[in-house]
PDB file of all heavy atoms in Angstrom:
ATOM      1  N   GLU A 436      81.435 115.636 118.459  1.00 97.00           N
ATOM      2  CA  GLU A 436      82.655 115.836 117.747  1.00 97.00           C
ATOM      3  C   GLU A 436      83.760 114.851 118.108  1.00 97.00           C
ATOM      4  O   GLU A 436      83.658 114.197 119.151  1.00 97.00           O
ATOM      5  CB  GLU A 436      83.170 117.326 117.893  1.00 97.00           C
ATOM      6  CG  GLU A 436      83.492 117.670 119.355  1.00 97.00           C
ATOM      7  CD  GLU A 436      83.933 119.053 119.537  1.00 97.00           C
ATOM      8  OE1 GLU A 436      84.561 119.636 118.580  1.00 97.00           O
ATOM      9  OE2 GLU A 436      83.701 119.670 120.596  1.00 97.00           O
ATOM     10  N   LYS A 468      94.704 105.806 118.451  1.00 98.00           N
ATOM     11  CA  LYS A 468      93.405 105.067 118.615  1.00 98.00           C
ATOM     12  C   LYS A 468      92.278 105.936 119.155  1.00 98.00           C
ATOM     13  O   LYS A 468      92.497 107.074 119.427  1.00 98.00           O
ATOM     14  CB  LYS A 468      93.676 103.916 119.551  1.00 98.00           C
ATOM     15  CG  LYS A 468      94.677 102.837 119.037  1.00 98.00           C
ATOM     16  CD  LYS A 468      94.819 101.695 119.964  1.00 98.00           C
ATOM     17  CE  LYS A 468      95.733 100.617 119.355  1.00 98.00           C
ATOM     18  NZ  LYS A 468      97.091 101.133 119.150  1.00 98.00           N
ATOM     19  N   MET A 488      73.433  83.804 138.209  1.00 97.00           N
ATOM     20  CA  MET A 488      72.657  82.969 139.017  1.00 97.00           C
ATOM     21  C   MET A 488      73.422  81.974 139.854  1.00 97.00           C
ATOM     22  O   MET A 488      72.859  81.303 140.741  1.00 97.00           O
ATOM     23  CB  MET A 488      71.594  82.168 138.190  1.00 97.00           C
ATOM     24  CG  MET A 488      70.473  83.080 137.514  1.00 97.00           C
ATOM     25  SD  MET A 488      69.632  84.174 138.758  1.00 97.00           S
ATOM     26  CE  MET A 488      68.851  82.865 139.777  1.00 97.00           C
ATOM     27  N   THR A 497      84.618  87.019 137.795  1.00 98.00           N
ATOM     28  CA  THR A 497      84.995  86.546 136.452  1.00 98.00           C
ATOM     29  C   THR A 497      84.249  87.340 135.369  1.00 98.00           C
ATOM     30  O   THR A 497      84.863  87.727 134.411  1.00 98.00           O
ATOM     31  CB  THR A 497      84.603  84.998 136.261  1.00 98.00           C
ATOM     32  OG1 THR A 497      85.346  84.277 137.283  1.00 98.00           O
ATOM     33  CG2 THR A 497      84.906  84.576 134.884  1.00 98.00           C
ATOM     34  N   ASN A 536      85.870  95.801 146.135  1.00 94.00           N
ATOM     35  CA  ASN A 536      86.758  96.331 145.140  1.00 94.00           C
ATOM     36  C   ASN A 536      87.051  95.175 144.198  1.00 94.00           C
ATOM     37  O   ASN A 536      87.620  94.179 144.584  1.00 94.00           O
ATOM     38  CB  ASN A 536      88.098  96.814 145.711  1.00 94.00           C
ATOM     39  CG  ASN A 536      87.920  98.146 146.440  1.00 94.00           C
ATOM     40  OD1 ASN A 536      87.169  98.987 146.012  1.00 94.00           O
ATOM     41  ND2 ASN A 536      88.651  98.290 147.608  1.00 94.00           N
ATOM     42  N   TYR A 570      55.417  93.449 144.645  1.00 97.00           N
ATOM     43  CA  TYR A 570      56.341  94.412 145.254  1.00 97.00           C
ATOM     44  C   TYR A 570      57.038  93.886 146.522  1.00 97.00           C
ATOM     45  O   TYR A 570      58.263  94.179 146.764  1.00 97.00           O
ATOM     46  CB  TYR A 570      55.598  95.680 145.603  1.00 97.00           C
ATOM     47  CG  TYR A 570      56.387  96.832 146.251  1.00 97.00           C
ATOM     48  CD1 TYR A 570      57.666  97.124 145.778  1.00 97.00           C
ATOM     49  CD2 TYR A 570      55.871  97.524 147.344  1.00 97.00           C
ATOM     50  CE1 TYR A 570      58.447  98.088 146.423  1.00 97.00           C
ATOM     51  CE2 TYR A 570      56.619  98.526 147.929  1.00 97.00           C
ATOM     52  CZ  TYR A 570      57.861  98.805 147.499  1.00 97.00           C
ATOM     53  OH  TYR A 570      58.607  99.812 148.076  1.00 97.00           O
ATOM     54  N   LYS A 575      63.178  93.757 149.750  1.00 95.00           N
ATOM     55  CA  LYS A 575      64.420  93.490 150.434  1.00 95.00           C
ATOM     56  C   LYS A 575      65.597  93.863 149.574  1.00 95.00           C
ATOM     57  O   LYS A 575      66.718  93.946 150.111  1.00 95.00           O
ATOM     58  CB  LYS A 575      64.464  92.047 150.805  1.00 95.00           C
ATOM     59  CG  LYS A 575      63.502  91.605 151.876  1.00 95.00           C
ATOM     60  CD  LYS A 575      63.731  90.149 152.303  1.00 95.00           C
ATOM     61  CE  LYS A 575      63.287  89.230 151.125  1.00 95.00           C
ATOM     62  NZ  LYS A 575      63.405  87.744 151.546  1.00 95.00           N
ATOM     63  N   ASP A 590      50.131  92.369 135.507  1.00 98.00           N
ATOM     64  CA  ASP A 590      50.087  93.281 136.653  1.00 98.00           C
ATOM     65  C   ASP A 590      48.644  93.818 136.790  1.00 98.00           C
ATOM     66  O   ASP A 590      48.249  94.739 136.106  1.00 98.00           O
ATOM     67  CB  ASP A 590      51.093  94.514 136.390  1.00 98.00           C
ATOM     68  CG  ASP A 590      51.083  95.444 137.549  1.00 98.00           C
ATOM     69  OD1 ASP A 590      50.607  95.137 138.679  1.00 98.00           O
ATOM     70  OD2 ASP A 590      51.609  96.510 137.351  1.00 98.00           O
ATOM     71  N   ASP A 682      69.172 108.922 120.567  1.00 98.00           N
ATOM     72  CA  ASP A 682      69.229 109.110 121.997  1.00 98.00           C
ATOM     73  C   ASP A 682      68.495 107.949 122.827  1.00 98.00           C
ATOM     74  O   ASP A 682      68.552 107.915 124.016  1.00 98.00           O
ATOM     75  CB  ASP A 682      68.625 110.477 122.353  1.00 98.00           C
ATOM     76  CG  ASP A 682      69.504 111.606 121.956  1.00 98.00           C
ATOM     77  OD1 ASP A 682      70.720 111.351 121.805  1.00 98.00           O
ATOM     78  OD2 ASP A 682      68.957 112.719 121.717  1.00 98.00           O
ATOM     79  N   ASN A 683      67.733 107.193 122.127  1.00 98.00           N
ATOM     80  CA  ASN A 683      66.864 106.142 122.839  1.00 98.00           C
ATOM     81  C   ASN A 683      67.300 104.737 122.551  1.00 98.00           C
ATOM     82  O   ASN A 683      66.627 103.814 122.979  1.00 98.00           O
ATOM     83  CB  ASN A 683      65.434 106.450 122.535  1.00 98.00           C
ATOM     84  CG  ASN A 683      64.920 107.702 123.189  1.00 98.00           C
ATOM     85  OD1 ASN A 683      65.128 107.924 124.326  1.00 98.00           O
ATOM     86  ND2 ASN A 683      64.262 108.537 122.345  1.00 98.00           N
ATOM     87  N   SER A 690      74.447  88.660 127.201  1.00 97.00           N
ATOM     88  CA  SER A 690      75.395  87.522 127.108  1.00 97.00           C
ATOM     89  C   SER A 690      75.180  86.459 128.151  1.00 97.00           C
ATOM     90  O   SER A 690      74.817  86.765 129.343  1.00 97.00           O
ATOM     91  CB  SER A 690      76.810  88.026 127.238  1.00 97.00           C
ATOM     92  OG  SER A 690      77.778  86.978 127.279  1.00 97.00           O
ATOM     93  N   TYR A 701      76.211  74.558 127.211  1.00 92.00           N
ATOM     94  CA  TYR A 701      76.370  75.370 128.464  1.00 92.00           C
ATOM     95  C   TYR A 701      75.041  75.336 129.156  1.00 92.00           C
ATOM     96  O   TYR A 701      74.169  74.494 128.905  1.00 92.00           O
ATOM     97  CB  TYR A 701      76.881  76.756 128.074  1.00 92.00           C
ATOM     98  CG  TYR A 701      78.197  76.734 127.393  1.00 92.00           C
ATOM     99  CD1 TYR A 701      78.270  76.678 126.027  1.00 92.00           C
ATOM    100  CD2 TYR A 701      79.374  76.838 128.178  1.00 92.00           C
ATOM    101  CE1 TYR A 701      79.491  76.635 125.429  1.00 92.00           C
ATOM    102  CE2 TYR A 701      80.606  76.911 127.547  1.00 92.00           C
ATOM    103  CZ  TYR A 701      80.660  76.827 126.153  1.00 92.00           C
ATOM    104  OH  TYR A 701      81.890  76.802 125.539  1.00 92.00           O
ATOM    105  N   ALA A 707      69.818  73.552 129.587  1.00 90.00           N
ATOM    106  CA  ALA A 707      70.989  73.349 128.718  1.00 90.00           C
ATOM    107  C   ALA A 707      70.843  74.241 127.564  1.00 90.00           C
ATOM    108  O   ALA A 707      69.777  74.468 126.921  1.00 90.00           O
ATOM    109  CB  ALA A 707      70.952  71.876 128.149  1.00 90.00           C
ATOM    110  N   GLY A 720      65.198  75.113 120.438  1.00 90.00           N
ATOM    111  CA  GLY A 720      65.457  76.017 119.380  1.00 90.00           C
ATOM    112  C   GLY A 720      65.350  77.486 119.731  1.00 90.00           C
ATOM    113  O   GLY A 720      65.833  78.299 118.956  1.00 90.00           O
ATOM    114  N   LEU A 722      66.200  81.070 121.108  1.00 93.00           N
ATOM    115  CA  LEU A 722      67.455  81.764 121.383  1.00 93.00           C
ATOM    116  C   LEU A 722      67.560  81.953 122.936  1.00 93.00           C
ATOM    117  O   LEU A 722      66.591  82.206 123.638  1.00 93.00           O
ATOM    118  CB  LEU A 722      67.466  83.125 120.729  1.00 93.00           C
ATOM    119  CG  LEU A 722      67.768  83.119 119.214  1.00 93.00           C
ATOM    120  CD1 LEU A 722      67.474  84.490 118.617  1.00 93.00           C
ATOM    121  CD2 LEU A 722      69.137  82.623 118.901  1.00 93.00           C
ATOM    122  N   LEU A 729      80.076  93.514 123.834  1.00 98.00           N
ATOM    123  CA  LEU A 729      79.371  94.755 123.603  1.00 98.00           C
ATOM    124  C   LEU A 729      80.130  95.606 122.534  1.00 98.00           C
ATOM    125  O   LEU A 729      79.473  96.256 121.704  1.00 98.00           O
ATOM    126  CB  LEU A 729      79.282  95.584 124.902  1.00 98.00           C
ATOM    127  CG  LEU A 729      78.341  96.782 124.918  1.00 98.00           C
ATOM    128  CD1 LEU A 729      76.957  96.425 124.334  1.00 98.00           C
ATOM    129  CD2 LEU A 729      78.215  97.351 126.299  1.00 98.00           C
ATOM    130  N   THR A 740      74.605 101.438 109.859  1.00 98.00           N
ATOM    131  CA  THR A 740      73.868 102.594 110.048  1.00 98.00           C
ATOM    132  C   THR A 740      74.585 103.869 109.569  1.00 98.00           C
ATOM    133  O   THR A 740      75.834 103.756 109.213  1.00 98.00           O
ATOM    134  CB  THR A 740      73.346 102.855 111.504  1.00 98.00           C
ATOM    135  OG1 THR A 740      74.517 103.123 112.305  1.00 98.00           O
ATOM    136  CG2 THR A 740      72.625 101.658 111.988  1.00 98.00           C
ATOM    137  N   LEU A 750      75.745 104.880 122.222  1.00 98.00           N
ATOM    138  CA  LEU A 750      74.654 103.985 122.367  1.00 98.00           C
ATOM    139  C   LEU A 750      74.890 102.894 123.435  1.00 98.00           C
ATOM    140  O   LEU A 750      73.929 102.245 123.918  1.00 98.00           O
ATOM    141  CB  LEU A 750      74.285 103.332 121.002  1.00 98.00           C
ATOM    142  CG  LEU A 750      74.034 104.168 119.774  1.00 98.00           C
ATOM    143  CD1 LEU A 750      73.587 103.326 118.640  1.00 98.00           C
ATOM    144  CD2 LEU A 750      73.163 105.388 120.048  1.00 98.00           C
TER     145      LEU A 750
END
Side-chain angles (χ1 to χ4, degrees):
E436 60 182 330
K468 295 181 176 64
M488 291 306 296
T497 298
N536 289 322
Y570 179 43
K575 292 182 292 185
D590 180 15
D682 292 335
N683 289 310
S690 174
Y701 299 90
L722 284 169
L729 195 49
T740 65
L750 308 188

